[in-house]
Amino acid sequence: MEIKSKFDHFNINVTNLERSITFYEKALGLKEHHRKEASDGSFTLVLKEHPQAYELGENESHLCFRVAGDYDAIRQYHKENGWVCFENTAMGLYFINDPDDYWIEILPAK
């Protein structure tokens, strides 16, 4: 059986919606496309604010973005903003972390 699919979404929980939207726009150029509010107010599908930090544990899952343009200049921009949390120069990659400490791998668009 051959299964054909496409990726739909990845959920992350955040403590401050506006701070996270600002981070993802400034760090990665992402913009909010739309949001859905639960009729009872229990959640917002963009993200829902959460009053305390999440315990991320040993979860190794992460987002990964390939960035177009001058990779070194982008890495420097991320460093200047204090977002780089790990670099592996031997593998040619680095990670930034968002306001809730989720790690995001950054690779050049090769």
Side-chain angles (χ1 to χ4, degrees):
M1 172 190 333
E2 179 181 342
I3 298 173
K4 294 183 179 182
S5 65
K6 70 175 188 169
F7 184 77
D8 186 77
H9 72 274
F10 186 85
N11 179 77
I12 61 172
N13 297 316
V14 302
T15 56
N16 182 295
L17 179 58
E18 293 310 315
R19 180 180 70 180
S20 293
I21 288 172
T22 298
F23 167 81
Y24 281 96
E25 184 171 343
K26 288 178 71 175
L28 297 166
L30 301 179
K31 296 192 183 320
E32 179 180 340
H33 183 264
H34 64 279
R35 67 174 67 194
K36 178 179 179 175
E37 304 281 343
S39 59
D40 65 0
S42 63
F43 66 87
T44 301
L45 290 181
V46 166
L47 302 168
K48 175 69 177 169
E49 292 181 9
H50 191 267
Q52 69 276 355
Y54 286 95
E55 174 53 53
L56 301 180
E58 297 297 319
N59 188 348
E60 290 288 328
S61 62
H62 61 272
L63 296 171
C64 179
F65 285 86
R66 289 196 178 265
V67 295
D70 187 335
Y71 186 68
D72 292 329
I74 294 167
R75 180 174 50 227
Q76 185 58 38
Y77 170 73
H78 286 157
K79 282 183 178 184
E80 289 169 0
N81 281 280
W83 296 326
V84 174
C85 58
F86 179 79
E87 287 186 87
N88 185 329
T89 54
M91 292 181 69
L93 60 88
Y94 67 97
F95 286 81
I96 60 176
N97 57 342
D98 81 356
D100 290 283
D101 210 27
Y102 289 102
W103 282 29
I104 304 158
E105 185 175 357
I106 307 296
L107 295 171
K110 291 183 185 175

